[in-house]
Amino acid sequence: MGRAPCNDKVGLKKGNDILTKYIQTNGEGSWRTLPDNAGLSRCGKSCRLRWMNYLRANLKRGNITPAEDETIVKLHNALGNRWSLIAGQLPGRTDNEIKNYWNTHLSRKLYRFTRTKNESLSTILNLAAACKPRGGRSFPTTRPHTKKLKNTASNTVGISLAKPAQSGTTSTRVLEYPTTKAKAHLPGTILEQVEKNPTIGPCLDNTARILSQCDGSKSAELSPNIESDDSAVVLRPFQTQNGENEALEPYEWLDGEIMRLTHILESAQIQVGNVAPEQPREKGVNAALGTEQECFTSEEIKESSTVLINSNAGGGECHACSSSINNAGSDDEWLGWNWVDGVGCHNQWAVCDEGDMMLTCLWEADKGQAK
DNA sequence: AAGTTAGTCAACCGCCCGAGC
DNA sequence: CGCTCGGGCGGTTGACTAACT
């Protein structure tokens, strides 16, 4: 299955041995000088990658377990494509491994079944659970589909943390997240960090808020937990309807949201694609495949500006619904989509991943009901 | 059995950030 | 303050295998 490990090759196996022995003797670091010192003919980056992803001790080999699968989904919902952070919560797993797993197993699986437009969410999930592991041509997913991911600002298919605003970019409010170095000094698990540092989990806060609107059990106010200034959105602890801060234990708040989402999915009777007669999507939105704006009309973009963070090049990545898969706008794969409702989101969710897809559509559905 | 298509994953690429000067 | 360098990260590629026709 897949490409055979390179260490099957005698030469590389020898290189692996040299690299392993060198690092065991001298420790990690100084990757640039490592090849010369160790007598390897690879660049330092390559050595580091080989070590981190393959040779390092305590790496867990083999299939992702269901428990790990669940953790990945949860954390991806929370953190987006922060693979290193997700990997940090899964001992023995590398960011590369998780990234591959997400891109091949999870996102693909969800994409397939959510294309079944007339199925209820619960049906879709049941189908996904029974996903044919390998497969032939039952679900056409083309390589061009994958290659269309290239040249996009981000392959973000989930709700992602935003990077700090780039200098010179104005009117872009982003959600701040800690730098790599800062993260390294943060104690505890990611989820604990989020608990202790509200700025780490801004999109989770959004997730909770969006869910709360769908659920109806929380305030329907769009952005009660966000304050903003010119440069950044400052998130406040999640507040209940009566304004009290919820003091959640580590993991508890996330588990709660997952449970709530599960409840919504189980109880919802949302029929995808069973909506108003076809209308042309708003000009500009239609042409902007691959941007999060396609999920919204311009008015909705304005309304939701505190949640839907602008994504400029290398900038914000906090998408309520964003996927570079959408860039396949000219692909036949996507031409069959029935853009309806003037918003597009009722079908749009089929090209978003599980979390943001559902959240966005539930959110939109909720907004529609509120009007 | 052969050809085609889809799925997998190690490795590569390029960008970004922080440290040091 | 600006430049360079090292390291880290996420996105993408392409070789390879398995499933299917």
Side-chain angles (χ1 to χ4, degrees), chain A residues 16-90:
Chain A
N16 290 338
D17 291 341
I18 294 172
L19 179 59
T20 302
K21 287 177 182 175
Y22 181 87
I23 293 175
Q24 285 172 349
T25 303
N26 300 285
E28 297 181 29
S30 302
W31 296 107
R32 177 156 295 201
T33 57
L34 185 149
D36 286 340
N37 294 338
L40 293 166
S41 58
R42 318 188 88 194
C43 68
K45 272 192 165 186
S46 181
C47 291
R48 176 188 164 273
L49 200 67
R50 187 66 176 167
W51 172 255
M52 299 298 286
N53 288 337
Y54 201 83
L55 299 173
R56 193 158 46 114
N58 301 323
L59 283 181
K60 192 185 290 183
R61 314 303 300 184
N63 295 333
I64 301 286
T65 66
E68 289 174 322
D69 185 300
E70 183 180 0
T71 301
I72 292 169
V73 171
K74 286 181 181 179
L75 289 172
H76 188 269
N77 251 344
L79 302 170
N81 294 4
R82 308 299 306 278
W83 305 118
S84 61
L85 289 179
I86 295 172
Q89 306 304 304
L90 295 167

Side-chain angles (χ1 to χ4, degrees), chain A residues 205-213 222-226 238 307:
Chain A
D205 198 298
N206 290 340
T207 302
R209 186 158 16 80
I210 293 166
L211 278 166
S212 74
Q213 296 170 35
L222 184 61
S223 53
N225 305 318
I226 295 178
F238 190 87
V307 172

Side-chain angles (χ1 to χ4, degrees), chain A residues 96 139 258:
Chain A
N96 204 38
F139 312 99
I258 294 296

Side-chain angles (χ1 to χ4, degrees), chain A residues 26-332:
Chain A
N26 300 285
E28 297 181 29
S30 302
W31 296 107
R32 177 156 295 201
T33 57
L34 185 149
D36 286 340
N37 294 338
L40 293 166
S41 58
R42 318 188 88 194
C43 68
K45 272 192 165 186
S46 181
C47 291
R48 176 188 164 273
L49 200 67
R50 187 66 176 167
W51 172 255
M52 299 298 286
N53 288 337
Y54 201 83
L55 299 173
R56 193 158 46 114
N58 301 323
L59 283 181
K60 192 185 290 183
R61 314 303 300 184
N63 295 333
I64 301 286
T65 66
E68 289 174 322
D69 185 300
E70 183 180 0
T71 301
I72 292 169
V73 171
K74 286 181 181 179
L75 289 172
H76 188 269
N77 251 344
L79 302 170
N81 294 4
R82 308 299 306 278
W83 305 118
S84 61
L85 289 179
I86 295 172
Q89 306 304 304
L90 295 167
R93 300 296 185 184
T94 69
D95 54 354
N96 204 38
E97 189 175 12
I98 292 168
K99 178 174 60 180
N100 283 331
Y101 183 74
W102 177 268
N103 288 335
T104 57
H105 291 79
L106 299 178
S107 63
R108 191 186 301 272
K109 187 188 295 184
L110 288 162
Y111 155 70
R112 285 171 176 171
F113 287 100
T114 50
R115 278 197 67 177
T116 313
K117 294 187 288 184
N118 293 319
E119 298 293 346
S120 67
L121 286 172
S122 57
T123 302
I124 289 167
L125 291 177
N126 288 337
L127 287 168
C131 180
K132 198 175 178 181
R134 189 162 192 86
R137 298 161 197 171
S138 302
F139 312 99
T141 305
T142 62
R143 286 291 286 193
H145 147 75
T146 301
K147 292 186 177 182
K148 286 182 186 300
L149 298 178
K150 189 178 182 180
N151 298 329
T152 58
S154 168
N155 184 24
T156 302
V157 291
I159 299 175
S160 303
L161 297 175
K163 296 181 179 180
Q166 302 294 308
S167 60
T169 59
T170 58
S171 69
T172 300
R173 289 180 294 180
V174 300
L175 302 170
E176 295 180 305
Y177 74 112
T179 63
T180 301
K181 292 287 169 62
K183 284 180 298 195
H185 293 98
L186 289 169
T189 67
I190 294 298
L191 295 171
E192 287 169 339
Q193 293 169 23
V194 172
E195 179 69 20
K196 293 173 181 174
N197 300 274
T199 56
I200 297 176
C203 290
L204 265 170
D205 198 298
N206 290 340
T207 302
R209 186 158 16 80
I210 293 166
L211 278 166
S212 74
Q213 296 170 35
C214 306
D215 192 12
S217 62
K218 303 280 186 178
S219 169
E221 188 178 355
L222 184 61
S223 53
N225 305 318
I226 295 178
E227 292 181 1
S228 64
D229 54 30
D230 290 341
S231 60
V233 175
V234 180
L235 288 137
R236 298 298 180 201
F238 190 87
Q239 291 187 331
T240 59
Q241 197 161 6
N242 58 14
E244 296 175 353
N245 289 351
E246 288 183 348
L248 300 178
E249 296 298 321
Y251 292 91
E252 185 180 341
W253 59 273
L254 177 59
D255 288 343
E257 297 309 330
I258 294 296
M259 289 176 64
R260 192 183 302 170
L261 175 59
T262 302
H263 171 74
I264 291 167
L265 295 178
E266 288 175 348
S267 60
Q269 295 299 316
I270 297 172
Q271 296 295 315
V272 181
N274 184 23
V275 288
E278 183 162 5
Q279 300 171 13
R281 284 186 293 160
E282 183 168 319
K283 185 178 180 181
V285 175
N286 203 359
L289 287 171
T291 67
E292 60 271 35
Q293 283 90 337
E294 70 183 292
C295 292
F296 305 92
T297 65
S298 57
E299 287 303 310
E300 287 165 333
I301 292 169
K302 292 172 187 173
E303 290 173 8
S304 61
S305 60
T306 55
V307 172
L308 182 67
I309 308 302
N310 182 33
S311 174
N312 53 22
E317 292 178 352
C318 187
H319 310 273
C321 178
S322 175
S323 170
S324 58
I325 292 171
N326 299 0
N327 277 5
S330 60
D331 192 336
D332 290 346

